[in-house]
Amino acid sequence: FHKMLRSKLFRNMPSPAAVLVKNLVSLDSMVLVVEYNDTQLKSIPVFSNLFRQSSLGFNLIVWQPDRNNDPAAESGSDADLKIEPITELLGKSGCTPEKAEFIKCKPAGLAASLKKFGLVAAGIDRAAGKKDPVLELLARTESPVMLLWQ
């Protein structure tokens, strides 16, 4: 997975997004994973442009990589403060998630919980290295992934 994304083909791809299908699944649910930092917000307009007119609903997971925790959704005012700016940006673009949650965990733990989705979309930098947590997450995800280039 890492080697493929580092290939000249993917690095020079002119399109704003690419879909990698690892397993054939029904596309009845989708999730947008946004890493909790400012740089990942660049993927929101790309996602919105692609899915604004879609009838397929999506969930939003705001994810903070943590090498020590198993996946657990946080709730309360702290989680809402982390989710709110992203849901507002999505709403302004014409996309509103059906469900939004904040999760702090290691990539392998989140990848396991994403099995239930037919498509996993996430923003990724074209120059991402092997240690990039989003790249590690997508490499471990069994569902088809949509790369939203930044």
Side-chain angles (χ1 to χ4, degrees):
F1 189 82
H2 297 98
K3 189 175 181 180
M4 179 181 57
L5 289 184
R6 299 291 304 144
S7 72
K8 194 173 188 176
L9 172 72
F10 277 88
R11 283 195 327 257
N12 296 330
M13 185 180 293
S15 66
V19 176
L20 302 173
V21 179
K22 301 176 186 182
N23 298 309
L24 292 178
V25 297
S26 66
L27 185 57
D28 55 357
S29 60
M30 179 173 50
V31 64
L32 172 63
V33 178
V34 178
E35 185 181 358
Y36 182 65
N37 66 35
D38 292 335
T39 61
Q40 292 294 319
L41 296 181
K42 295 176 189 174
S43 63
I44 301 294
V46 175
F47 179 82
S48 297
N49 287 338
L50 291 170
F51 290 98
R52 184 179 301 130
Q53 303 295 327
S54 174
S55 61
L56 181 65
F58 71 97
N59 289 0
L60 170 67
I61 294 178
V62 179
W63 174 53
Q64 185 172 2
D66 184 353
R67 301 269 179 212
N68 301 320
N69 291 328
D70 290 325
E74 290 186 21
S75 59
S77 61
D78 285 347
D80 291 341
L81 289 174
K82 295 173 182 175
I83 294 170
E84 190 175 320
I86 297 164
T87 55
E88 283 181 16
L89 187 57
L90 282 165
K92 288 178 185 175
S93 302
C95 292
T96 305
E98 294 174 350
K99 181 181 175 185
E101 60 185 330
F102 177 79
I103 297 176
K104 185 176 180 178
C105 67
K106 51 190 167 189
L110 183 57
S113 67
L114 295 176
K115 288 180 187 178
K116 62 185 175 186
F117 294 102
L119 180 65
V120 176
I124 190 160
D125 190 350
R126 288 184 190 263
K130 283 186 178 182
K131 300 290 183 182
D132 185 83
V134 175
L135 185 60
E136 184 179 344
L137 169 69
L138 296 177
R140 293 174 178 268
T141 302
E142 292 181 19
S143 299
V145 296
M146 175 175 275
L147 307 172
L148 304 168
W149 297 121
Q150 301 187 60

